[in-house]
Amino acid sequence: QSVLTQPPSASGTPGQRVTISCSGSSSNIGSNYVYWYQQVPGTAPSLLIYRNNQRPSGVPERFSGSKSGTSGSLAISGLRSEDEADYYCAAWDDSLRGVVFGGGTKLTVL
Amino acid sequence: EVQLVESGGGLVKPGGSLRLSCATSGFIFNTYTMNWVRQAPGKGLEWVSAISNSATYVYYADSVKGRFTISRDYAKNSLYLQMNSLRAEDTAIYYCARSDTSMEPFDWWGQGTLVTVSS
């Protein structure tokens, strides 16, 4: 069981906007940054969003992140077929003294 | 360009040992915290261990504490993970990952190396 809670699946049609939630606690998301990763099956994870809402160079503006209290959220607008992948949230946990992950959300583009 | 290249994975029997390596390039190695993260077949991501830029701070997940040791070599710009007393549940792809600070997740990942623990 993961420390951070994500829905196991999400879906949308091309062009739609999809959001993925990540729920934590005061010891992780409540006091530290949220990061988001995309993992296409068979490949390594890659950074999508860092420090709650910052986008690395090369990541399309369609991807955005936010944080409120002990929860984070990833939004994908203008959904495309290539967005079909697994998405993970992560944060440092002050109590566990380590990085904790969500269980991952499998995004399907219908 | 940042590169993290893992090696050393393979098949090992339960109770055995293995040493993973991660060769890095494209950034100033001694300014970043380095981590190991693993992913069991068909499962999610699990952070394993971290070592701060100066090796002052070292952290381990409870699942590997006392069995795994993380280290780094500044002359070789490399990260290591010594894994002892391996168990079937340690079977996973092990990724080397870089962090900006010692208490944050990762901004760059390697391609991973597969460790299989089986008799």
Side-chain angles (χ1 to χ4, degrees):
Chain A
Q1 190 167 347
S2 302
V3 174
L4 305 180
T5 301
Q6 298 179 234
S9 63
S11 63
T13 55
Q16 267 191 333
R17 183 176 187 268
V18 170
T19 61
I20 298 172
S21 61
C22 176
S23 177
S25 67
S26 58
S27 64
N28 41 66
I29 293 178
S31 51
N32 294 295
Y33 293 120
V34 181
Y35 281 56
W36 289 92
Y37 301 96
Q38 180 190 61
Q39 186 178 34
V40 175
T43 70
S46 64
L47 180 64
L48 264 185
I49 298 290
Y50 68 100
R51 294 186 177 179
N52 301 334
N53 55 17
Q54 301 300 300
R55 216 174 23 252
S57 59
V59 172
E61 291 182 13
R62 304 186 295 106
F63 294 90
S64 62
S66 64
K67 171 184 152 177
S68 178
T70 58
S71 292
S73 184
L74 173 70
I76 310 171
S77 60
L79 202 60
R80 303 175 68 158
S81 58
E82 58 259 41
D83 298 333
E84 197 161 277
D86 296 320
Y87 293 84
Y88 293 90
C89 59
W92 178 265
D93 191 294
D94 292 332
S95 297
L96 297 175
R97 306 300 288 167
V99 174
V100 292
F101 285 99
T105 298
K106 182 176 183 60
L107 176 63
T108 302
V109 181
L110 302 169
Chain B
E1 181 194 1
V2 173
Q3 288 200 3
L4 307 175
V5 180
E6 302 92 337
S7 61
L11 175 63
V12 60
K13 290 181 167 53
S17 298
L18 210 55
R19 188 193 193 211
L20 305 184
S21 300
C22 173
T24 76
S25 61
F27 64 100
I28 302 173
F29 183 67
N30 64 10
T31 63
Y32 286 87
T33 289
M34 298 300 297
N35 304 261
W36 290 99
V37 180
R38 69 185 181 183
Q39 186 171 35
K43 302 295 185 183
L45 300 168
E46 180 190 16
W47 169 81
V48 172
S49 182
I51 184 167
S52 63
N53 64 317
S54 59
T56 302
Y57 301 104
V58 174
Y59 304 99
Y60 297 97
D62 286 344
S63 57
V64 306
K65 205 170 290 184
R67 300 188 299 123
F68 290 10
T69 302
I70 192 171
S71 61
R72 60 194 299 167
D73 184 328
Y74 297 95
K76 295 181 178 179
N77 288 339
S78 291
L79 175 72
Y80 305 99
L81 186 67
Q82 177 66 43
M83 304 187 295
N84 299 330
S85 303
L86 283 161
R87 307 166 180 166
E89 54 264 35
D90 295 318
T91 294
I93 296 173
Y94 284 73
Y95 296 102
C96 169
R98 187 186 80 167
S99 298
D100 206 21
T101 73
S102 59
M103 291 191 286
E104 280 189 76
F106 331 105
D107 64 353
W108 209 272
W109 300 66
Q111 289 307 301
T113 186
L114 176 62
V115 172
T116 303
V117 184
S118 174
S119 54

